[in-house]
Amino acid sequence: MKNSIIENKKIVIIGGGPVGLTTARILQINGVDVTVYEREINAQARTSGGTLDIHSDSGQYAIQKAGLMEEFRKYARPTGEKMADIDGNITSDEMPDESNAFSRPEIDRNDLRKIMLDNLEENTVVWDSQLINNEKTEDQYFLEFKNGKTTAADFVIVANGGRSNARKFVSDQEPKLSGTYIIQGEIKNPDLDYPEFKPKYGNGNVMAMGEQKMFYTHTMRDGSVHFGVSFKADENWILNNEIDFENDQSVISFLNETFKNWGDDYQKFFKASTEFSGLPLRLFSLEESWKEHSNITLVGDAAHLMPPFAGEGVNMGLFDAYHLTKNLTDGKFETIDEAIADYEKKMFGYALEAQRMTKKMEDLLHSDVVTEDILNSRF
């Protein structure tokens, strides 16, 4: 380290997702004592969700700073984008060329996590550790976990997502509904369960929109297909339309009714799908300022939760990791709080812009208007 603001300091990161692990990796290679506490039971716990497109002008900065770009490129892949209409007809088909192949490559969530875990020191991550309480005692934080473990930290980085209960020293803001609901599922073996899909729609990403609804698919590295559908839903709809996600047929029936005016391809896709989940999308708006705080900060969704419609969420989180770790290790600041303040000032700028862009995309995608903005978006 070039200076001593975090020398001999015990740093705790709450949350072992991509942002928390990347932050830990960068700090660790700079000689920092850092421990990650993660609620998942172990490293084999499967992360759900589609692929992530990691942008060269934001998220990849952190991958580079972590010294793992070569490893990243082993798993990340340039991915084609197709748009379809509600009848299932392909209306556009784009594939990155040599000049922009790795400007926004896709990578499976589990692969990105594996890269980071494989390159952390042994026992950096303490698994099965769900935070239940965080209290400040003079110049330290005392953290208590559901499994009975406790620890003290000189500096806490909160990276455990939009449902974090560790934000209270930084912001009292509760997540707000964005106005959209998403249902996700997957086809584990599309070649067997829906053999017509890949010959027509390929191995890249597919998106269709209409009737104020959206359908999208991501092809995973193992050939399985993750999908999501989203539609406008206010608080009253959420309260009055409980869906039984333990019953696949119940979800399929709901989707068939919701997309009854769409083509047979979508009905076939739903029929072949399993492992459904659903949630109302929420956000922490950076339009609201944070309260005064010391030796603690937020990164990723814990700082600026936003819907996925502009592909910015994880990229902004990785950008947080880049800026925060740079401030902590480059010798420019005299204290941790000065480094935090500068990071948060930068973060409020770029992440608020991303939130505003995401809101614009959310409205466009759930309208009946196809624009150039949509054609150029990534999911």
Side-chain angles (χ1 to χ4, degrees), residues 316-329:
M316 293 299 96
L318 291 172
F319 214 27
D320 295 345
Y322 169 79
H323 283 291
L324 177 60
T325 57
K326 184 175 185 295
N327 280 12
L328 292 171
T329 62

Side-chain angles (χ1 to χ4, degrees), residues 173 284-290 303-304 347-349 351-352 355:
Q173 183 186 165
F284 289 125
S285 175
L286 292 177
E287 303 284 357
E288 299 182 27
S289 59
W290 293 350
H304 42 65
M347 182 270 292
F348 263 76
L352 179 56
Q355 284 190 333

